[in-house]
Amino acid sequence: MLIYFITGNKNKFNEIKNIVSDNNIFIKQLDIDLPEIQDIDAHNVIKAKLIEALKHKKGSFIIEDTSLYLDCLNGLPGPLIKFFLNTIGNEGLFNLTKKLKNNKALAKTIIGYAKNKKEIKFFEGVIEGEIVSPRGDFGFGWDKIFKPKGFNKTFSQMEEKEKSKISMRKIAAEKLKNFLKKQLKNKIK
């Protein structure tokens, strides 16, 4: 089974490929520029991109969105996180949670899978945590301010191996892999 992962991010591609690929499932990176709608619900963003991908090429596709949801902002920024990072940055996000006296947050990865317009599935991985002052040298985006529950380090303070053991992307990718294995099993019957 060949599945195209639409992403320009080599790190995301490698992480998903390493989790999902096996002797029967092959993940191939496809770096095509698809229009991205803006929506507070990441499912809608992913679904629109999958439908667009199906117009460009035959095959099965996955698209991933990783978002940050702040409790103090009723779930914002969610999938709009890149705009928050571009405008107020990590320091600004930390200051917001500090001023609003609520630093609880959710880090969520949603992977969308489609082999046609009618069969779109979503797989989610969620990690609870809190927003702290920026620290650390690894990762990207908001990794410097997100400290997972039960840990004393931000994602940015964790080596890649340590982070990938607990990552929300890993949780979502494992759910996708289990689904794909069931699909293959049912095909063989």
Side-chain angles (χ1 to χ4, degrees):
M1 174 184 288
L2 173 64
I3 301 168
Y4 296 102
F5 180 14
I6 299 174
T7 183
N9 186 316
K10 286 264 187 221
N11 293 328
K12 284 182 181 182
F13 169 72
N14 287 328
E15 190 174 351
I16 298 282
K17 182 180 133 193
N18 291 337
I19 295 166
V20 178
S21 292
D22 65 16
N23 293 334
N24 299 308
I25 302 168
F26 304 96
I27 306 293
K28 184 174 181 181
Q29 185 175 8
L30 187 60
D31 188 2
I32 58 174
D33 195 22
L34 297 174
E36 184 172 310
I37 66 165
Q38 299 308 308
D39 196 304
I40 196 66
D41 185 345
H43 293 89
N44 295 333
V45 175
I46 293 167
K47 184 177 180 180
K49 285 181 93 169
L50 285 168
I51 289 170
E52 192 65 32
L54 289 163
K55 293 176 187 175
H56 290 280
K57 187 173 181 70
K58 280 193 175 269
S60 296
F61 299 93
I62 56 175
I63 290 180
E64 179 264 12
D65 180 82
T66 297
S67 303
L68 183 65
Y69 299 82
L70 302 180
D71 196 52
C72 66
L73 296 178
N74 295 324
L76 280 171
L80 305 174
I81 184 62
K82 64 185 161 202
F83 300 111
F84 280 64
L85 288 172
N86 288 339
T87 54
I88 63 174
N90 281 320
E91 193 70 43
L93 287 166
F94 167 68
N95 288 334
L96 262 174
T97 62
K98 195 171 163 186
K99 284 180 185 162
L100 296 173
K101 296 180 171 77
N102 181 350
N103 69 346
K104 288 181 176 31
L106 290 178
K108 184 187 293 188
T109 293
I110 301 172
I111 298 174
Y113 165 80
K115 57 183 179 180
N116 60 55
K117 289 180 188 178
K118 293 180 181 150
E119 294 181 71
I120 296 176
K121 305 282 183 198
F122 298 99
F123 306 91
E124 294 187 20
V126 178
I127 293 187
E128 291 180 45
E130 56 187 42
I131 303 302
V132 297
S133 61
R135 54 186 187 248
D137 299 318
F138 301 107
F140 56 95
W142 41 267
D143 284 355
K144 289 182 180 290
I145 60 170
F146 185 79
K147 184 173 74 75
K149 188 175 182 176
F151 290 83
N152 292 322
K153 299 179 190 177
T154 65
F155 274 164
S156 189
Q157 291 174 302
M158 296 178 182
E159 300 268 347
E160 189 177 328
K161 204 173 189 178
E162 182 181 9
K163 179 187 171 191
S164 66
K165 284 182 184 176
I166 63 160
S167 91
M168 54 279 166
R169 189 172 292 116
K170 178 185 180 202
I171 296 166
E174 286 177 343
K175 289 178 182 179
L176 169 65
K177 183 175 186 168
N178 290 335
F179 169 79
L180 294 172
K181 282 185 168 193
K182 283 181 188 171
Q183 295 287 76
L184 284 170
K185 203 180 217 181
N186 291 338
K187 229 182 206 183
I188 294 169
K189 288 182 180 180

